[in-house]
Each structure stands twice: as C-alpha cells, then as structure tokens.
Amino acid sequence: MKAALCTHYGPPEELEVKDVPSPRPGKGQVAITVRACGVNFPDVLLIQDKYQFKPALPFAPGGEIAGIVKEAGEGVTNPKPGDAVIASIAMVDSPRKRSLTPRCIAMPEGLDFAVASSFLSPMARRGTHSGIAPF
C-alpha cells in the first residue's frame, strides 16, 4: 500500500509517498482502503516539529480517514468488507497501522470521501453534522 510519510521535519509538500506493507486486521479491527485522509492544523505543526509531542520518524500524519472496508478481523460482524466508512485513528501512527481501526462509522450514502474524511475532525464537530450512527 502507499502511505504519505513524514520522514523528516518540514512543510506539507515535503511529505513522501512510499510503499509500505499492507497491514492485516487483528481481533476487533478492520482494514480500510483509504480513499481520503483529513489533515488538520495540528498535523501541519507535527510535520514541522512544532507540536507538543514529538513522534518518532517516520510517521503518517492525519487523524481521520474515509474509505472502503477491505477486510474484517476476528469478531467483527459489522462493518463488512465493501462498506464505506469514516474512521478515527490515532493522530500519529505507524504506517503499517494506519489503515487498521476499531473505531469507524457508516459513511452516509452519496457523501464524497474527501468531505467524509473531515467529519470526525474536532473542528468539524460543532453540531453541524448529524444523523451519522456507528455500526
């Protein structure tokens, strides 16, 4: 799979897209083919080494994703492979864990992936979006 990685501190245009091994979901997790990733102001600070905590390099910035469930791990009955989802992931995670999450919700039908990836942002959670329910 491809991942946008911060391999050194600098501006967003210096993120590197690299091939990394595809992760497999564990118990209670799903693997998601990421179609869009929300990148917010804290992410821009992180990649420039201007945030409160300093993640080890390399890391994949971004805390919200939208995509299609590729595979479900043990014990997961919903969502199912092929379902469109919005997920909240650790703000900074290793590239291999980037597309694994136990925290996802159904993506409303007809919603664009880029828009959906911003739904779980703290900046977007001001009561403007409703009717989104967890699986």
Side-chain angles (χ1 to χ4, degrees), residues 102-126:
R103 303 174 303 257
C104 59
I105 58 175
M107 191 170 101
E109 192 173 318
L111 190 62
D112 177 82
F113 285 101
V115 172
S117 71
S118 69
F119 265 44
L120 301 179
S121 165
M123 284 76 161
R125 279 185 259 168
R126 298 210 180 262

Side-chain angles (χ1 to χ4, degrees), residues 21 26 37 47 54 69 84 90 99 125 129:
C37 178
I47 65 173
K54 313 294 182 194
V69 174
S99 62
R125 279 185 259 168
H129 307 294

Side-chain angles (χ1 to χ4, degrees), residues 1-5 16-22 95-96:
M1 72 177 209
K2 301 254 186 226
L5 301 176
E16 298 178 35
V17 177
K18 294 194 170 198
D19 288 311
V20 297
S22 293
R96 282 190 51 85

Side-chain angles (χ1 to χ4, degrees), residues 8-86:
H8 63 278
Y9 296 111
E13 46 282 350
E14 292 182 13
L15 290 173
E16 298 178 35
V17 177
K18 294 194 170 198
D19 288 311
V20 297
S22 293
R24 296 291 310 265
K27 184 177 182 177
Q29 294 180 318
V30 294
I32 299 170
T33 299
V34 178
R35 300 284 303 274
C37 178
V39 178
N40 299 296
F41 184 63
D43 300 305
V44 176
L45 293 176
L46 268 171
I47 65 173
Q48 295 180 68
D49 198 24
K50 296 178 180 177
Y51 201 65
Q52 290 94 321
F53 63 91
K54 313 294 182 194
L57 296 170
F59 66 88
E64 307 87 31
I65 60 174
I68 304 293
V69 174
K70 180 179 179 181
E71 184 180 359
E74 178 186 340
V76 177
T77 57
N78 225 349
K80 296 174 179 58
D83 286 347
V85 294
I86 305 167

